[in-house]
Amino acid sequence: MQETFTDFVINTKKDGYSCPFSLEISIQGFQAIVTELRKKRFDTWDWFSLARCGDQLALNQQQSPELLALEYLKERWQQSGVVPYPHQIMTAKQVIGEMQGQAILADEVGLGKTIEAGLVLKEYLLRGLAKKILILTPASLLWQWYHELSEKFGVVAGIQRTQWDWEYTDILIASLDTAKREPHAPIITSIPYDLLIIDEAHKLKNNNTQAYRFVNTIQKKYCLMLTATPIQNDLKELYNLIGLIKPGQLGSYRSFKERFVEDKRTPKNPQELRKLLDQVMIRNRRDEGAVQFTKRLVHPIILSLTPREQEIYERVTHFVQTTGRRAGYTNILPLITLQREVCSSFLATAFTLEKMMVNMAQEDLAIAAGLLKDLAEVKQNSKCDALEKLIGELEDKIIIFTEYKASQEYIRYRLEKAGYRTLAFDGTLSRGKKQWIRYMFQKDAQILVSTESGGEGLNFQFCNQVINFDLPWNPMRLEQRIGRVHRLGQERDVHIYNLITKDTIEEHIMYLLHQKINMFESIIGELDAILLHLKLGKSFESEIMEIFLAHQKQGEIREKLDLLGEQILHGQAQIKASSWELY
């Protein structure tokens, strides 16, 4: 039996459309009411009137149009330089005054959903409407939430470490992956929370997952769900998310499909559906002028390899293509890594090749051994030479991104040898060490060398110079890099320097991302939805690799990448014309 059931659904006509309402009563609560009625335990009319008056006062306080938090936080924000944007204030007012604390905050990437949620949280604390608060996030965002609440809202929260924290910490930040498992889940679902906040809520899009079922059983008075992509690949995902916030808002799934689904990505009756969505979801967009972002200034730096480096690059490429074709395009992930690394550093390439040799066919071993020997002997790295020259021309702080730990170590070795002080950021660091290195970078050091996994969940608006030592093949991963610095709070134009090796696959990737889909000049807020919309049946990197394996002539590769770029642009147009018109 489910934890809750719909006691009744009243369909009324409101503003010309059908508006469903539902009353959810827990089974335990219903049984308690029946038990009291059978025992004929009734309070006097005076007690009932007093309770009703108290409820009305609480409701009036909840629906007050003015935010107490703005005046309360005024001095703190002045000292720390925080300026709330009008769309954030209006969102907080709408959530509290119109939506009764049940809302999906679906602003586009970088518009400050965390600030909006923090403002609502602070307001409920000040009004005395919330005390027991749970914030569920991906593990990589725990410390970011902790610092945002502490620095900007004066809210000291705990970070969950033991199973005792659930009951004894009033404001707790925890990983959703931890919370949904034993022994934690039963403890959490037994606690009545005043406010539940879920970040990256699109991870709950599938109602058949353990995470969805777990969140659906949490007792909460108010609930905020944060996601930039409430629809990624199917309108059912939107239905599922709204079912967690306000069950019955869109009716049963059968009626929802009949009334609103043309196909899984295209709604019908979009205006009627939008009116229902507006009651539970707020989406602010950049093109509405909510925020004026600073510019992105892209600087492609094209460099040539030495003849020896070019020879080894072509030998590695030929090895990758030959091996990939012979394998029939199956299990090509190691080959993708090898092909990408040879444009980053020969050191990283050698490490990967050595690991691959353990399971390599006999016919490939001799070729791989020769390559490994030559990779180890090459002392030149033209890309690092160009990097040193570039850094010598720049001032202020710089983040250098690379995909590979070996490249990161080599870059640091070269820069330290040249007299620069560097800091390293990677996914192996603990949360505390990441925060400490971020602090050291902000206060003292000039250069941070980061892998992509190291930069997840942390923001660097105090820095406005990004160097991509190597380019990821997936545009979403590139956007995540740039998004570390180009976001709310960035007051300067962001300079993006891309080191591109001429006559390599990197040059083709640069063409696709920069010239074809204009990746750098503007943030594509729905980029992850667009990539899913392509229905590739494989990863984006695998799609590019298959193009590269199947064609040797430069013109043929460029032609196929043109087609892929057109698919991306067409997918963007389709999404804007269909699902996203709902917002």
Side-chain angles (χ1 to χ4, degrees):
M1 183 177 288
Q2 296 179 347
E3 286 294 319
T4 60
F5 68 96
T6 303
D7 184 62
F8 60 84
V9 175
I10 305 173
N11 289 312
T12 65
K13 290 289 182 180
K14 182 180 178 184
D15 300 328
Y17 67 95
S18 181
C19 178
F21 297 89
S22 67
L23 176 63
E24 292 284 332
I25 304 177
S26 70
I27 291 175
Q28 294 86 348
F30 181 79
Q31 290 174 339
I33 292 172
V34 171
T35 299
E36 293 300 305
L37 289 173
R38 284 174 176 168
K39 292 180 180 178
K40 297 184 178 181
R41 292 183 178 177
F42 305 109
D43 284 319
T44 64
W45 179 258
D46 290 338
W47 276 112
F48 170 77
S49 300
L50 185 60
R52 185 178 180 184
C53 181
D55 286 342
Q56 188 60 50
L57 288 172
L59 183 62
N60 292 340
Q61 185 184 25
Q62 177 178 334
Q63 294 180 337
S64 171
E66 298 306 319
L67 297 180
L68 304 176
L70 294 179
E71 186 62 32
Y72 185 89
L73 296 169
K74 186 176 181 181
E75 185 175 345
R76 172 182 290 273
W77 284 352
Q78 286 175 344
Q79 292 174 352
S80 59
V82 176
V83 179
Y85 290 87
H87 76 273
Q88 294 170 336
I89 296 173
M90 290 304 299
T91 294
K93 288 183 176 180
Q94 189 175 349
V95 168
I96 294 170
E98 299 175 22
M99 297 179 172
Q100 286 75 53
Q102 309 283 345
I104 296 174
L105 304 182
D107 292 0
E108 286 186 352
V109 175
L111 287 180
K113 294 182 288 295
T114 307
I115 298 296
E116 294 167 355
L119 197 53
V120 171
L121 183 155
K122 186 67 176 182
E123 188 69 20
Y124 278 143
L125 286 173
L126 291 174
R127 296 187 183 197
L129 296 174
K131 180 182 179 183
K132 191 71 174 176
I133 298 169
L134 177 62
I135 302 167
L136 296 177
T137 81
S140 61
L141 299 181
L142 293 173
W143 280 101
Q144 180 179 322
W145 269 92
Y146 175 84
H147 284 285
E148 288 276 312
L149 292 178
S150 175
E151 294 171 4
K152 296 179 180 176
F153 298 97
V155 174
V156 180
I159 293 181
Q160 185 271 330
R161 291 184 176 87
T162 73
Q163 68 185 76
W164 314 112
D165 295 330
W166 308 113
E167 293 184 88
Y168 296 107
T169 305
D170 282 341
I171 304 175
L172 188 63
I173 307 168
S175 160
L176 175 58
D177 285 337
T178 298
K180 70 183 182 183
R181 298 195 299 265
E182 297 283 347
H184 309 291
I187 301 172
I188 297 167
T189 54
S190 70
I191 299 171
Y193 287 98
D194 297 311
L195 173 61
L196 173 66
I197 298 176
I198 303 173
D199 200 1
E200 303 290 328
H202 50 269
K203 296 179 185 293
L204 301 172
K205 62 186 178 183
N206 186 344
N207 63 339
N208 293 318
T209 62
Q210 179 187 3
Y212 186 97
R213 293 192 296 268
F214 161 69
V215 169
N216 199 31
T217 59
I218 297 177
Q219 303 176 63
K220 64 270 188 187
K221 182 165 60 173
Y222 309 120
C223 183
L224 301 179
M225 301 177 69
L226 284 58
T227 174
T229 52
I231 302 175
Q232 289 185 306
N233 205 37
D234 193 332
L235 282 166
K236 186 180 180 182
E237 298 168 359
L238 180 65
Y239 177 87
N240 290 338
L241 287 181
I242 290 177
L244 291 173
I245 286 285
K246 194 172 182 182
Q249 174 70 7
L250 299 177
S252 69
Y253 182 59
R254 178 182 293 180
S255 66
F256 172 75
K257 284 182 67 176
E258 290 174 354
R259 294 171 62 194
F260 299 122
V261 180
E262 188 73 41
D263 61 50
K264 69 178 186 177
R265 293 184 186 87
T266 307
K268 60 183 177 181
N269 302 323
Q271 296 305 315
E272 182 181 354
L273 179 55
R274 181 169 183 169
K275 288 181 180 180
L276 292 176
L277 295 180
D278 284 345
Q279 297 175 27
V280 291
M281 182 160 59
I282 302 172
R283 182 170 177 84
N284 295 302
R285 302 176 64 103
R286 289 182 193 81
D287 56 15
E288 294 171 347
V291 177
Q292 294 298 318
F293 278 85
T294 58
K295 295 179 181 178
R296 292 183 177 189
L297 304 175
V298 185
H299 310 277
I301 298 173
I302 312 296
L303 59 104
S304 296
L305 299 174
T306 65
R308 179 64 170 151
E309 288 177 301
Q310 189 69 39
E311 177 209 347
I312 293 179
Y313 167 81
E314 289 172 0
R315 285 171 57 197
V316 171
T317 298
H318 182 263
F319 175 79
V320 167
Q321 290 176 326
T322 303
T323 307
R325 291 190 191 110
R326 190 163 56 244
Y329 306 121
T330 60
N331 193 28
I332 63 173
L333 182 59
L335 296 175
I336 293 175
T337 302
L338 197 65
Q339 186 63 54
R340 289 157 64 188
E341 284 177 331
V342 76
C343 294
S344 179
S345 72
F346 286 173
L347 178 64
T349 312
F351 283 155
T352 297
L353 185 60
E354 187 176 26
K355 292 177 184 176
M356 289 174 62
M357 289 174 69
V358 176
N359 300 311
M360 198 170 286
Q362 192 66 35
E363 57 192 304
D364 295 326
L365 273 175
I367 300 172
L371 277 174
L372 192 62
K373 178 177 177 294
D374 290 341
L375 286 166
E377 288 178 352
V378 175
K379 306 301 180 185
Q380 181 77 24
N381 188 301
S382 297
K383 188 173 272 191
C384 258
D385 294 341
L387 177 66
E388 285 186 30
K389 182 181 178 183
L390 173 62
I391 289 176
E393 298 170 356
L394 300 178
E395 298 178 356
D396 211 341
K397 299 185 183 299
I398 304 164
I399 298 180
I400 302 171
F401 277 110
T402 178
E403 292 205 67
Y404 311 107
K405 189 74 163 55
S407 294
Q408 179 196 42
E409 292 173 354
Y410 181 72
I411 292 167
R412 292 194 68 208
Y413 164 76
R414 286 285 301 268
L415 294 180
E416 296 276 355
K417 188 177 177 181
Y420 297 101
R421 184 188 172 199
T422 69
L423 294 170
F425 226 60
D426 64 74
T428 65
L429 298 174
S430 66
R431 298 167 191 158
K433 285 184 179 178
K434 283 185 179 182
Q435 289 294 338
W436 173 247
I437 290 173
R438 180 187 182 278
Y439 174 81
M440 292 294 292
F441 179 45
Q442 183 174 10
K443 297 298 182 182
D444 188 25
Q446 181 195 3
I447 300 171
L448 180 71
V449 186
S450 177
T451 63
E452 283 163 348
S453 60
E456 287 179 357
L458 291 173
N459 301 326
F460 300 90
Q461 295 98 322
F462 54 83
C463 173
N464 75 321
Q465 298 182 118
V466 174
I467 298 177
N468 288 307
F469 186 78
D470 42 54
L471 282 178
W473 291 7
N474 190 319
M476 194 64 209
R477 295 174 68 185
L478 181 60
E479 176 57 45
Q480 288 165 351
R481 285 183 180 184
I482 300 169
R484 297 303 95 211
V485 300
H486 193 239
R487 57 194 304 114
L488 281 183
Q490 178 58 263
E491 299 177 352
R492 298 174 291 175
D493 291 340
V494 173
H495 294 266
I496 303 158
Y497 301 89
N498 299 308
L499 299 180
I500 311 298
T501 46
K502 191 178 179 183
D503 297 325
T504 69
I505 193 171
E506 205 166 47
E507 193 173 12
H508 292 299
I509 300 301
M510 181 64 180
Y511 165 77
L512 173 66
L513 299 182
H514 184 32
Q515 293 177 250
K516 191 65 187 175
I517 63 174
N518 197 25
M519 179 69 221
F520 295 96
E521 273 68 23
S522 62
I523 301 174
I524 303 177
E526 299 88 21
L527 184 55
D528 48 358
I530 293 168
L531 296 182
L532 282 168
H533 192 79
L534 295 179
K535 295 185 288 186
L536 298 175
K538 60 180 77 70
S539 72
F540 194 82
E541 291 91 336
S542 295
E543 182 75 11
I544 290 178
M545 191 62 181
E546 288 193 12
I547 291 173
F548 189 66
L549 290 176
H551 304 89
Q552 288 184 307
K553 293 182 179 180
Q554 302 295 316
E556 292 176 347
I557 294 174
R558 184 63 58 89
E559 182 182 346
K560 293 299 180 181
L561 290 177
D562 265 335
L563 291 175
L564 182 58
E566 291 295 338
Q567 281 183 275
I568 293 172
L569 294 176
H570 181 65
Q572 181 185 19
Q574 280 192 317
I575 286 175
K576 285 186 177 294
S578 58
S579 302
W580 292 100
E581 73 180 10
L582 297 175
Y583 315 126

